[in-house]
Amino acid sequence: MDIAALITWVITALGGFYMLGTWIQRGGIRQQQTGTSRLPAPVVFGHFALAAIGLVVWISYVVADRSALAWAAFGLLLPVALLGFVMLARWIPVHRDRTTAGAAAGPGAEGTVPAERHFPVPVVLAHGLLAVATLVLVLLTALGIGGS
């Protein structure tokens, strides 16, 4: 089960990297100054940093098979999940405004479009579902259910 958690975590991270890259490329950091982006940079980068640290801890667990590392990885995943839900809650209205704003926006309106509007829905959904699966698999492994 620890390898299954590692696989889901890595696939989840790939989707997260894609969205982070899209957000940065579309001006998410610059939009913090103008208030266009609804995703605060500290939340975005905090989510990323804690998830990356947790993944390193989980890899250490897979190699060393120490239960304290499994619990540490799970403990790191809790704030990652919380920050992820915060970003999802802030992204949903931006996504819903996509159709009305897209029709009303003319040339040169790209600077007023939140960077997160460019996130593909399938990537957001897959990232979230795989994140939940990862959290459950890590918890079950830490509890000793399913072997290590």
Side-chain angles (χ1 to χ4, degrees), residues 93-131:
V94 171
H95 172 70
R96 286 185 179 156
D97 289 346
R98 165 181 264 154
T99 54
T100 57
E110 187 66 27
T112 61
V113 174
E116 57 272 17
R117 183 171 293 158
H118 299 281
F119 294 165
V121 173
V123 175
V124 173
L125 291 176
H127 182 74
L129 292 174
L130 286 166

Side-chain angles (χ1 to χ4, degrees), residues 9-23 44 47-48 119 123 127:
W9 203 326
V10 168
I11 296 170
T12 302
L14 291 173
F17 280 134
Y18 176 80
M19 288 187 289
L20 177 63
T22 299
W23 186 76
V44 172
H47 178 77
F48 166 74
F119 294 165
V123 175
H127 182 74

Side-chain angles (χ1 to χ4, degrees), residues 21-90:
T22 299
W23 186 76
I24 292 170
Q25 181 184 19
R26 298 293 185 155
I29 295 172
R30 286 187 315 272
Q31 290 178 353
Q32 295 300 295
Q33 297 167 346
T34 63
T36 305
S37 177
R38 294 192 34 95
L39 300 182
V43 173
V44 172
F45 289 110
H47 178 77
F48 166 74
L50 288 171
I53 293 166
L55 179 56
V56 169
V57 171
W58 188 253
I59 291 168
S60 299
Y61 164 73
V62 170
V63 171
D65 196 26
R66 303 266 189 239
S67 65
L69 291 171
W71 284 109
F74 179 72
L76 286 165
L77 277 178
L78 294 176
V80 169
L82 178 64
L83 293 172
F85 281 120
V86 166
M87 289 189 294
L88 177 65
R90 296 180 68 99

